Amino acid sequence: MHGTRTRHRRLPTAKPLALAAAAALGLALTPALTTPASAVTPTAVSVPGTFNSEIGCTGDWAPDCSQAQLTPRTDGSGAWSRTYTLPAGSYAYKAAINKSWAENYGAKGQSYGADIPLHIPAGGRSVTFVYDPVTHWITDDVNSRIVTAGGSFQSEIGCSSDWAPDCLKSWLKDIDGDGTYTWSTEAIPAGSYSVKAAVGQSWNESYGQSGSPTGDNIDFTVPETGSTVDFRYNSTTHVLSVQTEEPPGPALDGTLGALYTPTQTTFRIWSPDTSQVSVTVGGQTHTLRPADVAGYTDVYQAVVPGNWKNQPYQFRVGSNNVRDPYARMVKPGTTEGIVMDVDAIEPTGGWAPTPAITKREDAVIYEMNVRNFTIDPSSGVDAARRGKFAGLTQTGTTHNGVKTGIDHLKELGVTHVQLLPSYDFNSTVPNWGYDPLNYNVPEEQFSQYTAPEDRVREFKNMVNEFHKNGIRVLMDVVYNHTASKDVFQNITGKYYHQTQLSGTGNSIDDSNPMVSRMILDSLEYWVDTYNIDGFRFDLIGVHQYKNVDQWAKYLQAAFPDRTLQIHGEPWSGGVDDPQEAQKVRYGTTPAIAGGHVGVFNGTYRDAIKGGTRDQNLGYMGGSSSNASSIALGMRGSPLATKSTSPLSDPWAPAFAYDPEQTINYVSAHDDLNIWDKITYSGVTGGPTGRAGQMNRFAVGMVLTSQGIPFFHEGDEFLHSKVVNGDYEAAKNSYESGDHVNAIQWSEKSANNATFRYYKDAIALRKSTPGLRLATWEAVKNQMNTTINGSVVTSAISSNAAAPTGYDTVVVYNPTTNPSSVSMPAGNWKKVLDSNGATDSTSTTADPLAVTVFKKS
């Protein structure tokens, strides 16, 4: 080995042994080892490493050894440096601040980063170490070069003289190790200057024009005081390039991302862990600098002059290209965003009014997938539009003489469509898209177009056409996790929970104020820019209920005329949550009533149909054991005592401060849909027999209960996801092909009687105020619910001034026999039975049916 020896690393890269031992003993360590110290001027900087004993320390890895301490520079740069003579060998080192391991930096300036290797050849040599307290880059002149821009401007920026190669005020750094050394400044006054690249803090090695050691000085001009001057040195070609930019106008107010104007674009990103942030646009890289943006922290910004509309841009944090969490459009398959003037893109013909809705209890929500709804040729949608945003709103489509597509929805009578994820996701379709990449970008696989502006317009047109046809649009949003940690991890790990609450290994942590702000900004963006009418939160139970309350209250106040609908699943991904009391659960739902936030009522769902993937049929199968649960759900699951205080039981079944807080359903995209649940459980008779009647019974309860009814696409004509008897695929068909998930419109004509029942029940709900009570008090005072065996009956008054002047009676009868109903005084008519709308004076409630009577 020619006299060299390898020194073995004596410390782990994550933390020193002393601290590791303390952690193993359960001792509290402050600050947390993964958190860099604040950027304050250090009082000492050392280079602890495996060479410390060679320079006179009593041992290696000695941050407090006096011989390992660097010296503060006197050139005004703030840097620290020292030169040592080291014998041949292979070593490793880091930078330690203030003589301890509490704050330390390794490779690429990373806090608690990897050890930096150092190989000294045979014969030994002198080594100069240099540390920058701003970027935390610690380097040496063996692994890299100490490059300065020496020139006629140096005295203007604070060096003692011009042409001073040893003044590190103009130090170029290669923090990411790619061989390109950079430095940017705004401190050079307007004027004409010359410069060369100096290596090793002397003129012994220097480069001028064209990277030549004998080249002429490189001339450059600063047009205005305050202009940005960027210096870049290529260590392979030795070319030093200088680029100047005129000072831009003032940065825009607003959020983060790429904020466009015709004369400049403001690029902003949150970077709490490093100041090494840049953006590349138009082939030029611009350094981002700290920015004071109201409502945000740790934001870095560059204001780039020019018109960058529709141009790609790339953020870089540390040594990694990263996506823009606020991107309005992206280049598919990359981490590049696209600068957009989204507000200037109008839907064709301009925005139509949003369909009016008096109160949220008037909603009837229809869940659908963009692809599934129209991808099959039986949809009648034009081939180019099938499975696309545009296909959802094509009118005039039919199959076998029945209406399809949006005309079907209008015929059915729903007020809202809820779109499964329609933002940019990672998986390829067919897939439901619960793997987010870019929260603010319409999914390109659902678009007919590749041009960014066309994609934006197509989504806006879809929303607008739904509005023109009297239907509001809700988005299914997945802020609880990302497709993988790679989505945001290279920006900062602070986006993610330490506990994987979503069950996917990459749960978003909205307890961090900047993550919470990102979610709020995204929600506001969809409402403001795309005219979205509300949101369904996937696993809203991962989120802090106080944050959800803040988001919702903000949106309702910002858009007071929109009656936004907001609801979600009040559970996490099947894991224990150590902060459960702080999360959205049934028990915390009263505390978010002020923002008009509702939750899916899984308790009522299970009482009606049993489990979501088992063969227990619950109340719809004739069970009398859960009649009290049915009676509670029928009343909208109201609190026993009205209060906005969280309940002691997170899973309390009586949770609603207001009827709008319960989303009633028996079928959704997850698990077995209602028809497959019935047939899986062995119920016979087909669509016209007991199985079909049970389907109508279940949805009839949903459509006549207090709260907000919800059902899944195809339920209204018994759509099945079971192919060749495969119920296992049907239980979780998120990535199954079109042969499983696509709506087959022939099912509508084949099961038209079921469709007619859904249509009749929806029409009855809309025309009957007693089925849409709007307050806790109305339910308590105007609704009298009784249980007789397994039969549940409610008499309802729609008039608060006459709370016992009942005008509607609803009966749930799960038995196989008719039930005689004792009606309140007055003349009554039966208006809904097991087959749908009817007009009868009979006072008998059908078996296995919802029966509704109205006072005539």
Side-chain angles (χ1 to χ4, degrees):
M1 294 293 290
H2 306 288
T4 61
R5 56 196 175 114
T6 300
R7 301 298 302 262
H8 297 288
R9 176 157 47 98
R10 300 180 184 176
L11 287 180
T13 59
K15 50 189 175 183
L17 287 175
L19 297 185
L25 293 173
L27 302 178
L29 298 174
T30 305
L33 290 177
T34 56
T35 304
S38 58
V40 296
T41 302
T43 58
V45 177
S46 59
V47 282
T50 58
F51 56 79
N52 287 169
S53 57
E54 279 79 2
I55 62 174
C57 298
T58 57
D60 288 339
W61 296 106
D64 56 348
C65 171
S66 60
Q67 289 91 334
Q69 305 301 313
L70 304 185
T71 302
R73 304 278 298 195
T74 59
D75 56 9
S77 66
W80 297 65
S81 67
R82 187 167 177 176
T83 300
Y84 300 92
T85 298
L86 296 181
S90 292
Y91 304 97
Y93 73 94
K94 299 174 87 167
I97 308 303
N98 299 334
K99 300 184 179 182
S100 84
W101 287 111
E103 183 181 355
N104 69 82
Y105 300 95
K108 299 181 180 180
Q110 295 298 307
S111 174
Y112 288 90
D115 296 345
I116 303 168
L118 176 62
H119 180 73
I120 304 299
R125 62 159 288 177
S126 66
V127 182
T128 298
F129 296 89
V130 187
Y131 171 76
D132 175 27
V134 177
T135 63
H136 305 300
W137 190 41
I138 175 66
T139 190
D140 59 79
D141 62 357
V142 175
N143 283 309
S144 62
R145 298 174 175 223
I146 310 301
V147 181
T148 51
S152 60
F153 59 89
Q154 285 184 285
S155 59
E156 280 83 352
I157 65 171
C159 295
S160 60
S161 65
D162 289 338
W163 299 102
D166 57 346
C167 178
L168 296 193
K169 291 280 286 186
S170 55
W171 179 20
L172 282 70
K173 305 176 186 69
D174 179 22
I175 297 173
D176 59 8
D178 66 355
T180 299
Y181 294 70
T182 62
W183 170 58
S184 294
T185 182
E186 296 172 356
I188 304 176
S192 296
Y193 303 92
S194 298
V195 67
K196 280 189 172 183
V199 178
Q201 304 184 69
S202 79
W203 290 115
N204 292 337
E205 182 181 355
S206 64
Y207 302 95
Q209 292 278 6
S210 303
S212 171
T214 59
D216 293 338
N217 295 339
I218 301 163
D219 297 327
F220 67 96
T221 299
V222 179
E224 292 183 43
T225 299
S227 296
T228 299
V229 186
D230 293 318
F231 297 82
R232 299 174 69 84
Y233 169 75
N234 185 310
S235 60
T236 300
T237 64
H238 304 298
V239 170
L240 175 68
S241 60
V242 185
Q243 179 182 350
T244 59
E245 298 176 358
E246 293 185 11
L252 296 177
D253 292 333
T255 62
L256 309 188
L259 309 179
Y260 168 83
T261 72
T263 58
Q264 65 185 35
T265 296
T266 301
F267 295 93
R268 291 176 179 156
I269 192 169
W270 177 49
S271 179
D273 299 336
T274 179
S275 60
Q276 301 165 34
V277 188
S278 66
V279 66
T280 300
V281 61
Q284 298 296 324
T285 298
H286 307 268
T287 300
L288 275 66
R289 295 175 174 81
D292 185 9
V293 182
Y296 302 84
T297 60
D298 297 313
V299 172
Y300 287 79
Q301 168 182 291
V303 183
V304 181
N307 189 338
W308 300 107
K309 184 177 181 180
N310 297 332
Q311 296 301 304
Y313 64 94
Q314 178 66 70
F315 279 124
R316 190 171 179 86
V317 175
S319 59
N320 299 301
N321 288 337
V322 300
R323 68 184 69 251
D324 175 8
Y326 281 72
R328 277 73 167 170
M329 186 56 64
V330 295
K331 188 175 179 181
T334 75
T335 55
E336 293 180 73
I338 297 176
V339 178
M340 298 293 295
D341 187 8
V342 177
D343 291 336
I345 304 170
E346 288 281 304
T348 304
W351 284 111
T354 300
I357 190 168
T358 303
K359 58 185 188 299
R360 291 170 184 83
E361 291 84 356
D362 294 341
V364 179
I365 300 173
Y366 186 95
E367 182 187 45
M368 64 195 306
N369 176 273
V370 173
R371 181 180 178 89
N372 294 349
F373 198 64
T374 67
I375 191 63
D376 192 81
S378 64
S379 68
V381 168
D382 294 344
R385 301 183 184 184
R386 291 177 197 156
K388 308 297 185 183
F389 294 124
L392 294 182
T393 56
Q394 181 178 339
T395 59
T397 58
T398 62
H399 178 74
N400 288 344
V402 299
K403 295 178 180 179
T404 63
I406 191 172
D407 290 343
H408 163 79
L409 297 175
K410 291 167 62 179
E411 183 184 14
L412 184 58
V414 299
T415 63
H416 295 65
V417 292
Q418 178 178 296
L419 304 180
L420 266 68
S422 301
Y423 51 73
D424 186 43
F425 51 79
N426 187 53
S427 52
T428 57
V429 295
N431 190 294
W432 291 343
Y434 287 93
D435 50 349
L437 288 178
N438 296 284
Y439 285 121
N440 300 324
V441 178
E443 170 55 45
E444 75 271 6
Q445 295 175 92
F446 291 155
S447 177
Q448 302 176 86
Y449 306 106
T450 56
E453 290 192 2
D454 290 339
R455 287 170 53 195
V456 169
R457 185 175 293 104
E458 182 179 16
F459 195 99
K460 289 188 176 185
N461 280 345
M462 174 197 65
V463 175
N464 206 39
E465 292 304 311
F466 270 123
H467 286 176
K468 288 179 183 178
N469 284 276
I471 298 173
R472 290 178 162 230
V473 181
L474 309 178
M475 282 188 69
D476 193 334
V477 289
V478 188
Y479 297 115
N480 69 83
H481 71 273
T482 55
S484 69
K485 278 193 173 181
D486 290 343
V487 173
F488 295 141
Q489 182 74 36
N490 286 334
I491 302 173
T492 173
K494 293 180 174 65
Y495 277 103
Y496 294 101
H497 271 294
Q498 296 302 308
T499 305
Q500 297 310 326
L501 303 175
S502 63
T504 62
N506 36 55
S507 302
I508 290 291
D509 184 8
D510 63 277
S511 68
N512 188 303
M514 283 293 286
V515 177
S516 177
R517 183 61 189 260
M518 177 193 74
I519 295 171
L520 174 57
D521 288 344
S522 178
L523 294 166
E524 182 178 18
Y525 175 73
W526 284 108
V527 177
D528 189 44
T529 303
Y530 286 97
N531 239 5
I532 288 294
D533 301 297
F535 304 94
R536 177 264 189 192
F537 280 75
D538 182 68
L539 297 184
I540 200 172
V542 168
H543 299 306
Q544 303 269 337
Y545 79 82
K546 291 182 180 179
N547 284 341
V548 172
D549 187 52
Q550 176 195 3
W551 304 335
K553 284 178 177 175
Y554 176 87
L555 292 172
Q556 304 292 4
F559 305 95
D561 58 337
R562 297 289 296 277
T563 319
L564 297 174
Q565 174 64 39
I566 301 172
H567 57 258
E569 299 171 298
W571 43 77
S572 59
V575 298
D576 292 331
D577 189 339
Q579 294 184 315
E580 184 167 63
Q582 306 304 317
K583 302 301 178 68
V584 178
R585 297 289 186 267
Y586 296 134
T588 54
T589 298
I592 55 179
H596 302 281
V597 181
V599 297
F600 283 94
N601 196 333
T603 301
Y604 190 32
R605 173 201 64 194
D606 293 347
I608 294 173
K609 76 169 189 176
T612 57
R613 300 189 186 188
D614 61 25
Q615 295 180 320
N616 170 22
L617 287 169
Y619 186 76
M620 73 181 186
S623 171
S624 61
S625 63
N626 56 359
S628 60
S629 297
I630 296 298
L632 179 66
M634 185 186 200
R635 295 171 61 82
S637 302
L639 291 161
T641 302
K642 188 178 184 183
S643 169
T644 56
S645 298
L647 302 172
S648 59
D649 178 4
W651 302 109
F655 60 82
Y657 178 89
D658 184 287
E660 70 181 20
Q661 287 200 284
T662 174
I663 307 300
N664 301 322
Y665 73 117
V666 290
S667 188
H669 63 272
D670 283 326
D671 308 309
L672 292 171
N673 67 18
I674 185 61
W675 180 240
D676 290 340
K677 161 72 177 183
I678 290 169
T679 60
Y680 180 64
S681 301
V683 183
T684 59
T688 60
R690 179 172 174 79
Q693 191 171 356
M694 190 176 292
N695 175 285
R696 298 192 295 275
F697 182 40
V699 79
M701 285 186 272
V702 168
L703 287 167
T704 56
S705 294
Q706 303 301 327
I708 297 175
F710 169 105
F711 57 98
H712 184 56
E713 61 182 357
D715 286 348
E716 70 276 22
F717 44 70
L718 307 181
H719 175 60
S720 175
K721 298 179 183 179
V722 178
V723 178
N724 297 324
D726 186 359
Y727 279 95
E728 292 306 309
K731 288 178 182 178
N732 192 18
S733 63
Y734 76 98
E735 59 181 355
S736 296
D738 295 333
H739 67 293
V740 171
N741 286 318
I743 296 299
Q744 308 293 328
W745 288 93
S746 59
E747 292 172 323
K748 180 179 179 181
S749 52
N751 300 309
N752 196 256
T754 302
F755 168 74
R756 187 173 63 251
Y757 179 87
Y758 276 66
K759 175 183 174 183
D760 290 348
I762 291 170
L764 176 64
R765 180 179 182 85
K766 287 181 167 182
S767 65
T768 307
L771 300 179
R772 297 175 284 111
L773 299 179
T775 65
W776 182 91
E777 290 81 4
V779 171
K780 180 177 185 293
N781 298 327
Q782 297 165 227
M783 193 170 182
N784 180 30
T785 304
T786 59
I787 301 173
N788 182 10
S790 58
V791 177
V792 181
T793 303
S794 283
I796 311 166
S797 170
S798 60
N799 184 358
T804 60
Y806 303 119
D807 50 48
T808 306
V809 172
V810 182
V811 183
Y812 298 166
N813 179 10
T815 73
T816 57
N817 299 307
S819 177
S820 179
V821 184
S822 178
M823 306 298 295
N827 297 318
W828 292 83
K829 280 195 172 184
K830 183 190 294 187
V831 294
L832 186 77
D833 64 12
S834 61
N835 295 312
T838 187
D839 185 0
S840 168
T841 58
S842 169
T843 58
T844 299
D846 291 356
L848 195 63
V850 172
T851 305
V852 179
F853 303 89
K854 293 182 74 171
K855 199 170 188 178
S856 57

